[in-house]
Amino acid sequence: MAMKIRLARGGSKKRPFYRIVAADSRMPRDGRFIEKLGIYNPLLPKDSEDRVKMDMERVQYWLSQGAQPTDRIARMLEAAGVREKTERNNPQKGTPGEKAKARAEEKAEKAAAAAAPAEETAE
C-alpha cells in the first residue's frame, strides 16, 4: 500500500481549510484517510503560529514507515526543520512561450525602426 502524507480540503466555498492526513495514495483527496496528523489554515497570516499545526511525532512515524509527503507538505516539513531543504530548479517554467517571443521580436523591430529615423535627424 503506497502511503502519502497530504492535504485534505475542508471548509466552505472560498474559505479553504485543510487537514494534514496520512492516506493511501489510491484514495480520493477528501476521501478516506488513515490518520489525521495536523491542520493547515491558509487564510491566517504567514507568521501566525496557528497557520500550520502538525503532530511531529506521528509525522516522523509515517515517514519512517515509507509514507511520501506531497510537495506542499514537504515544504512545510522543511520549514519546521524535519526534512533537509531540497534544491528546486525548473528553468523551463520561466522561459516565455512562442507567442511571447514573437511579440518581443516585433516590439524590438518597431523600436529599432523608430530609432533609425531619429538618429538620421539628429546628425
Side-chain angles (χ1 to χ4, degrees), residues 2-6 23 62-63 65-70 73 83:
M3 293 295 298
K4 287 271 190 189
I5 299 176
R6 65 180 179 203
W62 283 108
L63 291 173
Q65 295 298 311
Q68 294 296 314
T70 58
I73 296 296
R83 287 175 64 109

Side-chain angles (χ1 to χ4, degrees), residues 30-44:
D30 301 334
R32 189 168 65 193
F33 60 89
I34 296 174
E35 184 178 356
K36 180 181 171 186
L37 303 174
I39 60 168
Y40 168 57
N41 188 352
L43 298 177
L44 293 176

Side-chain angles (χ1 to χ4, degrees), residues 30-102:
D30 301 334
R32 189 168 65 193
F33 60 89
I34 296 174
E35 184 178 356
K36 180 181 171 186
L37 303 174
I39 60 168
Y40 168 57
N41 188 352
L43 298 177
L44 293 176
K46 291 188 178 187
D47 58 349
S48 174
E49 293 177 4
D50 296 331
R51 186 175 168 101
V52 178
K53 288 186 178 180
M54 284 189 265
D55 183 358
M56 287 301 172
E57 190 174 300
R58 294 304 295 170
V59 170
Q60 290 285 19
Y61 167 78
W62 283 108
L63 291 173
S64 70
Q65 295 298 311
Q68 294 296 314
T70 58
D71 292 339
R72 182 60 49 192
I73 296 296
R75 285 181 181 231
M76 290 177 188
L77 293 174
E78 288 171 7
V82 175
R83 287 175 64 109
E84 61 278 349
K85 285 196 176 236
T86 56
E87 186 65 33
R88 291 177 184 83
N89 186 14
N90 188 354
Q92 298 298 322
K93 189 173 184 176
T95 58
E98 292 180 21
K99 289 184 178 180
K101 287 178 185 176

Side-chain angles (χ1 to χ4, degrees), residues 9-18 29-30 41-43:
R9 190 175 195 271
S12 60
K13 182 178 176 183
K14 300 192 181 194
R15 305 287 296 169
F17 184 84
Y18 297 93
R29 178 191 73 179
D30 301 334
N41 188 352
L43 298 177

